[in-house]
C-alpha cells in the first residue's frame, strides 16, 4: 500500500517537474510541500509527534520508489528520515523530541551537517568549534557538501567542544536557520542537481545550552551518534540507488521492444536480451541486500557489514544499469529529452556520499579479517 501510494505521488506529482528542476538545479517548493502532505517526512516518527509510525523498511521503500522517478527528491526524503529524524528519535531528550519532531513531520526540512573542507572520509577531523559562553554555545566554522541545506530550517551540526580531545570532543547541536547560519555557496553538480548541496558558515552563532542533542550528558559523544547514524543512512542510500537503477531500466527496456532494426525489435537480439537479463538480476540482488540490511536493523541485530555491502553493491549496479540503459536506447538515450542520461549522472554520487565505495570495502574487509584471522 505504501509502495503504491508513493509510486502514484512520484509519477503524478514529481515526474512532470523532473526535467525542469534538473535544468534549473532547484527543488520545486510544491514537491517539498507534497512530501509532507503525503506523510513521507515522518515515516518512522510516532503518531504522537505527527508521524506515520511506520518501519525503517517502509522508509527504504519510499526512498526507492521516489528514486525511480527522481533521485534528487529521493535523497531529500532519505536524509530527512534516516539521518535527521532518526537522530531526534534515538538520541534527543524528550523536550527536544516534543519540540522538533512535529515540525520535522509537518512542515520543516532537516539537514545533517558533518562534512567540512578538511574532513570528508576522515569525518572526525572536523574543525568547527563550539565554545560554552554563559547560557549559550557559540559555534564558529564551516560545513561543506551539506544536503538539503538551501531549503532546511532545522540543522544537526557536529562541532568539537575541545580539539585536544580529538573525536571525544565532538558534539551534536540542534541549530535553527534563524539562529544565524549563513547558507553560502551552492554547488553546481554533475547529478542530483535539484537537491541542494551548499557550504554553511557559522560566525559566532549562538545556540542555547539545551540544544545539545541528548542534553549535557551527550557533550563530547557526538562521534557515537555520527558513526551509528551513518550505518543506517547507508541503507537509505542503497535504497536510492536500487530505485535509480530500476528507474533507468524501466525507461530504456520498453524502447528496445519498440525500436526495430534488421526486421525485428532490438530487444529480441540475444546480445541485447542477455544484457538486460544480467542487469535485471543484479538490480534484484542489490534490492535483496538492501532489504536484508534493513531487516537486520529493525530486528536490533548487527547490520554494519550488511549496510556497507548493500550501499557498495547498489551504487555499482546503479552506475552499470544507468550506463547500459543509455546504450540500449542508443542516440535517443544520449539526449536529455528522454531523461535516461539523468539517471547515469545521478548514479555517480552513490559511490561518494555517506561513505565512499572504498570506505565501504574497507568496512567489509575489517569484518572479514575479524571473522577469518
Amino acid at each position: 500500500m505504501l509502495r503504491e501510494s508513493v509510486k502514484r505521488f512520484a509519477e503524478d506529482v514529481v515526474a512532470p517537474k523532473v526535467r525542469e528542476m534538473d535544468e534549473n538545479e532547484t527543488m520545486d517548493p510544491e514537491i517539498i510541500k507534497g512530501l509532507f502532505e503525503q506523510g513521507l517526512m515522518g515515516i518512522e516518527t510516532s503518531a504522537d509527534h505527527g508521524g506515520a509510525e511506520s518501519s525503517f523498511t517502509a522508509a527504504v521503500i519510499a526512498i526507492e520508489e521516489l528514486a525511480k522517478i527522481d533521485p534528487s527528491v529521493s535523497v531529500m526524503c532519505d536524509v530527512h528520515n534516516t539521518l535527521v529524524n532518526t537522530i531526534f528519535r534515538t538520541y534527543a531528550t524528550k523536550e527536544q523530541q516534543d519540540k522538533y519532531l512535529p515540525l520535522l513531520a509537518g512542515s520543516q526540512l532537516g539537514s545533517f551537517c558533518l562534512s567540512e573542507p578538511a574532513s570528508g572520509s576522515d569525518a572526525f577531523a572536523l574543525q568547527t568549534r563550539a565554545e560554552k559562553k554563559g547560557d549559550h554555545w557559540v559555534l564558529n566554522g564551516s560545513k561543506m557538501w551539506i544536503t538539503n541545506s538551501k531549503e532546511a530550517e532545522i540543522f544537526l551540526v557536529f562541532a568539537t567542544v575541545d580539539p585536544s580531545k580529538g573525536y571525544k570532543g565532538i558534539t551534536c547541536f540542534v541549530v535553527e536557520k534563524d539562529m544565524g547560519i549563513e547558507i553560502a555557496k551552492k554547488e553546481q553538480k554533475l547529478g542530483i542537481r535539484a537537491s541542494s548541496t551548499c557550504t554553511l558558515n557559522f560566525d559566532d552563532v549562538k545556540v542555547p545550552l539545551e540544544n545539545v542533542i541528548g542534553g549535557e550528558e551527550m557533550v563530547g559523544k557526538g562521534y557515537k551518534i555520527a558513526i551509528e547514524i551513518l550505518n543506517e543512512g547507508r541503507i537509505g542510500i542503497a535504497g536510492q540507488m536500487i530505485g535509480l537503477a530500476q528507474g533507468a531500466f524501466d525507461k530504456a527496456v520498453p524502447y528496445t521492444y519498440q525500436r526495430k532494426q534488421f526486421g525485428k525489435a532490438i530487444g529480441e537480439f540475444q546480445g541485447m536480451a542477455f544484457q538486460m537479463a544480467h542487469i535485471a538480476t543484479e538490480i534484484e540482488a542489490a534490492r535483496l541486500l538492501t532489504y536484508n540490511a534493513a531487516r537486520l536493523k529493525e530486528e536490533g541485530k548487527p547490520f554494519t557489514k550488511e549496510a556497507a555491502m548493500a550501499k557498495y553493491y547498489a551504487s555499482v549496479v546503479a552506475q552499470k544499469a544507468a550506463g547500459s540503459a543509455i546504450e540500449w536506447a542508443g542516440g535517443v538515450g544520449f539526449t536529455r529529452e528522454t531523461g535516461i542520461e539523468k539517471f547515469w549522472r545521478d548514479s555517480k554520487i552513490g559511490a561518494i556520499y555517506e561513505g565512499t565505495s572504498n570506505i565501504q570495502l574497507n568496512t567489509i574487509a575489517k569484518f572479514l579479517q575479524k571473522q577469518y584471522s
Side-chain angles (χ1 to χ4, degrees):
M1 185 174 177
L2 171 73
R3 189 186 293 277
E4 285 304 312
S5 66
V6 178
K7 183 174 185 285
R8 282 196 303 272
F9 172 75
E11 291 177 347
D12 296 346
V13 180
V14 178
K17 300 183 178 183
V18 171
R19 186 175 179 189
E20 180 183 2
M21 293 194 300
D22 182 62
E23 298 280 357
N24 295 335
E25 302 189 20
T26 302
M27 185 68 65
D28 189 317
E30 289 301 310
I31 298 293
I32 303 173
K33 182 182 177 184
L35 289 170
F36 281 107
E37 290 175 346
Q38 292 292 315
L40 298 177
M41 300 306 259
I43 295 174
E44 294 179 84
T45 301
S46 70
D48 289 342
H49 288 124
E53 204 166 324
S54 195
S55 66
F56 177 64
T57 297
V60 173
I61 288 171
I63 291 162
E64 177 187 357
E65 288 301 318
L66 290 170
K68 290 178 182 178
I69 302 299
D70 191 353
S72 291
V73 175
S74 174
V75 76
M76 171 177 279
C77 180
D78 173 31
V79 168
H80 184 90
N81 277 285
T82 68
L83 299 184
V84 179
N85 286 347
T86 302
I87 287 178
F88 276 103
R89 288 197 330 273
T90 308
Y91 301 102
T93 64
K94 184 180 185 304
E95 291 74 18
Q96 291 166 347
Q97 291 174 347
D98 291 343
K99 179 178 180 179
Y100 290 106
L101 282 173
L103 297 174
L104 290 163
S107 62
Q108 295 192 11
L109 190 65
S111 183
F112 176 85
C113 311
L114 179 62
S115 296
E116 297 184 3
S119 63
S121 294
D122 184 9
F124 296 155
L126 60 83
Q127 296 174 1
T128 297
R129 288 290 310 274
E131 295 182 78
K132 198 173 186 179
K133 293 184 178 180
D135 61 351
H136 284 81
W137 289 93
V138 178
L139 272 59
N140 283 282
S142 295
K143 294 292 178 180
M144 197 172 187
W145 314 116
I146 305 304
T147 301
N148 292 353
S149 48
K150 180 183 176 185
E151 303 87 1
E153 298 289 340
I154 299 168
F155 298 78
L156 291 175
V157 181
F158 290 81
T160 180
V161 300
D162 187 349
S164 69
K165 291 184 178 179
Y167 68 88
K168 291 187 177 180
I170 296 172
T171 304
C172 182
F173 298 87
V174 188
V175 186
E176 298 172 21
K177 186 174 185 176
D178 60 11
M179 288 179 181
I181 300 175
E182 179 193 358
I183 314 299
K185 178 189 177 186
K186 181 178 180 293
E187 302 295 341
Q188 293 182 299
K189 307 188 299 291
L190 171 70
I192 56 167
R193 291 176 177 174
S195 168
S196 63
T197 306
C198 304
T199 296
L200 307 181
N201 293 327
F202 301 85
D203 186 9
D204 288 334
V205 174
K206 289 185 177 180
V207 180
L209 293 181
E210 62 267 24
N211 278 35
V212 172
I213 282 287
E216 187 70 23
E217 66 185 51
M218 288 297 286
V219 172
K221 296 180 181 177
Y223 69 95
K224 292 183 178 180
I225 297 174
I227 289 174
E228 293 174 11
I229 205 66
L230 285 173
N231 286 330
E232 180 172 333
R234 286 163 184 164
I235 304 174
I237 296 301
Q240 181 203 23
M241 289 294 115
I242 58 176
L244 184 160
Q246 191 68 59
F249 191 88
D250 291 347
K251 269 188 176 288
V253 172
Y255 177 82
T256 70
Y257 295 113
Q258 297 163 7
R259 170 74 168 168
K260 288 184 168 57
Q261 293 287 277
F262 306 105
K264 66 177 181 178
I266 59 174
E268 295 177 5
F269 287 94
Q270 188 181 72
M272 182 75 82
F274 280 14
Q275 288 181 44
M276 294 188 294
H278 277 298
I279 295 294
T281 303
E282 290 174 341
I283 293 172
E284 187 65 15
R287 181 177 288 115
L288 294 175
L289 276 173
T290 302
Y291 289 178
N292 181 57
R295 175 187 63 82
L296 291 172
K297 186 267 173 189
E298 283 189 3
E299 293 177 357
K301 296 177 179 178
F303 66 92
T304 301
K305 180 184 73 174
E306 289 77 9
M309 286 178 167
K311 195 225 177 230
Y312 164 71
Y313 189 64
S315 68
V316 170
V317 171
Q319 289 190 45
K320 184 175 179 182
S324 295
I326 293 172
E327 295 174 19
W328 297 338
V332 170
F334 197 68
T335 66
R336 293 206 298 270
E337 185 176 351
T338 62
I340 297 174
E341 57 82 36
K342 179 182 178 296
F343 283 110
W344 182 81
R345 288 189 285 108
D346 290 350
S347 75
K348 297 301 291 184
I349 193 61
I352 299 170
Y353 62 8
E354 292 198 36
T356 66
S357 288
N358 281 339
I359 290 293
Q360 306 314 311
L361 291 171
N362 189 55
T363 297
I364 297 164
K366 284 181 178 178
F367 276 96
L368 295 176
Q369 183 180 8
K370 184 177 180 181
Q371 180 179 356
Y372 290 102
S373 65

